[in-house]
Amino acid sequence: MAKKSKIVANERRRATVARYAERRALLKELIRKPDTDAAQRIAAQAELQRMPRDASPVRVRNRDAVDGRPRGHLRKFGLSRVRTREMAHRGELPGIRKASW
């Protein structure tokens, strides 16, 4: 089980990313376009720099939905490898069976 503070901090980051997503996308588009003049591009870069660090989606950590484990996250299930294995053994994941040969 991960520390509650880490889980809460990650959720706060998710909220910040969602809050600034539209504005960030607009600024990044302005910066990327070749027909944007230099002054506009520099202003957009400066505004992007002034945004909070946690507004960047790269800072959000994928965590296990059940216990918040940060490592070994499987996107398909939203769980860690450990939790996925446990739930698969108990038959709690539909369509998943233990391999045997």
Side-chain angles (χ1 to χ4, degrees), residues 4 10 14-15 22 38 41 43-44 48 52 76 79 82 100:
K4 292 285 184 195
N10 201 48
R14 281 188 196 281
E22 192 175 334
R41 182 172 286 119
L48 195 61
K76 184 175 182 178
L79 302 169
V82 178
S100 61

Side-chain angles (χ1 to χ4, degrees), residues 89-101:
H89 280 302
R90 286 183 295 205
E92 294 175 2
L93 296 176
I96 304 296
R97 288 187 301 156
K98 184 180 183 303
S100 61
W101 58 89

Side-chain angles (χ1 to χ4, degrees), residues 3-5 20 37 44 66-67 73-74 78-79 85-86:
K3 289 169 56 174
K4 292 285 184 195
S5 60
Y20 286 98
D37 64 6
V66 177
D67 66 358
H73 181 267
L74 302 176
L79 302 169
R85 187 171 187 270
E86 286 174 2

Side-chain angles (χ1 to χ4, degrees), residues 22-72:
E22 192 175 334
R23 185 64 186 153
R24 273 183 67 86
L26 234 153
L27 290 171
K28 301 227 4 136
E29 182 66 25
L30 265 176
I31 294 167
R32 193 167 42 87
K33 277 185 181 176
D35 60 333
T36 307
D37 64 6
Q40 263 188 327
R41 182 172 286 119
I42 290 170
Q45 286 172 341
E47 189 174 341
L48 195 61
Q49 287 289 317
R50 281 193 303 270
M51 282 188 177
R53 282 186 179 173
D54 285 346
S56 174
V58 190
R59 291 181 60 97
V60 175
R61 179 80 178 182
N62 286 328
R63 289 184 173 269
D64 187 321
V66 177
D67 66 358
R69 180 182 163 87
R71 304 287 180 100

